[in-house]
Each structure stands twice: as structure tokens, then as C-alpha cells.
Amino acid sequence: HFVMVMLAKNSFPLASPASLDFSLVLCASSVQLLLDTHSFKTTLLNLPSVGAAVQRKAPTSYTKIVMKGMAKAELILKVVMSPHDLGEEFVKSYLKLLEDPDVANFQKVLEMKGLKRGEVHTLLDIFKHHRSSTSDSSGAAAGGTGGGAPEESGSRIRKLERLIKKNF
């Protein structure tokens, strides 16, 4: 918190501390973190060839691991940067980008945003409501026909596997 206040005072010297909008500072900090994350990813991808006499491409498995891990970090930062004023839209954005229905992880993202306690509770309620309504509708849709989300097709595949094992 102290670092953000100092950053705000240095970035906005004419603004009084009472008039500073910390969401603006937090957003600027998130943008910088996103840029740093991209730079870090580039460094990690180039790391296997640093100091080597012959420049060659990093192993594919290494590249995949770095890309997957850093993509997750970039998505988290994008969610942190997204506006939370429209709670329903923020929750949908979180679920779409991160595909993580865990309440604890959602709460960590809210902590990273630096929201007030009341805003956190409101967004958690929306998240829990959205999660429960999504699980209810996917449970009903899983028994139906037609294409659907990856979760639905995964459960249908599991049902099919159980049916095959049962019959054979």
C-alpha cells in the first residue's frame, strides 16, 4: 500500500492524496506488470540459448511450459485490469478468460484488484450465484443432445465410457 501511495504522489504531484483515484494507479500498475510479464516470458524463452556458442531454438516442451505458465499470468493480470463496476460482466469475464470456478481463486483476484470489503462481498455473491446457476444448467444440458461447452462434452464422454465398461 505504501508503494502505491508513493507511486501516486510521484506520478500525480498536483493531486491531493484525498483526490487520488487508486483504481487508476492500480490499473497503471497492472499494465506495467503485464508489460513486465511479457518481457519476462521473452527472457525465459531465450534462456536456453544464452551463453551458447551456437544459437538454436529452445526445446518444444520447454517452450510449451513457458508459454502456458506465462499465458495464465497474463490472463490473471488482464482480469485484474478489467473494470468491476458491472459485477455480472466482470464475473463473466473472469470465468471466460480463466475458466476457473474456484471461489478462493476468484477471491485472490479480487484482493489483487484492491477492492473495498463491500465490493468484494458483492462480487463474491454474484460469482457464487453465477457459478451455481451455471452448474445447474450444465447438469440439465449434459443429458440432452447437441454440442455444448467442453465441460459438457467431457461429462458426456465420461458417461459413454461408463456405459461401454458396463456393457462389456
Side-chain angles (χ1 to χ4, degrees), residues 26 30-31 33-34 37 68-83 90 93-100 104-113:
L26 190 59
S30 298
V31 170
L33 277 172
L34 190 59
T37 302
K68 184 177 180 181
M70 296 308 289
K72 178 81 169 182
E74 289 171 344
L75 287 174
I76 290 170
L77 287 171
K78 286 178 183 179
V79 170
V80 169
M81 288 175 12
S82 66
F90 177 75
S93 170
Y94 170 85
L95 291 170
K96 181 181 177 185
L97 288 174
L98 296 178
E99 299 175 349
D100 184 4
N105 290 338
F106 182 70
Q107 196 164 6
K108 289 176 186 176
V109 168
L110 296 178
E111 288 174 13
M112 289 173 66
K113 285 185 73 66

Side-chain angles (χ1 to χ4, degrees), residues 44-49 56-67:
L44 284 174
L45 290 172
N46 293 329
L47 193 61
S49 63
R56 57 182 140 137
K57 195 173 178 180
T60 307
S61 59
Y62 174 79
T63 303
K64 285 181 182 179
I65 290 171
V66 169
M67 294 297 285

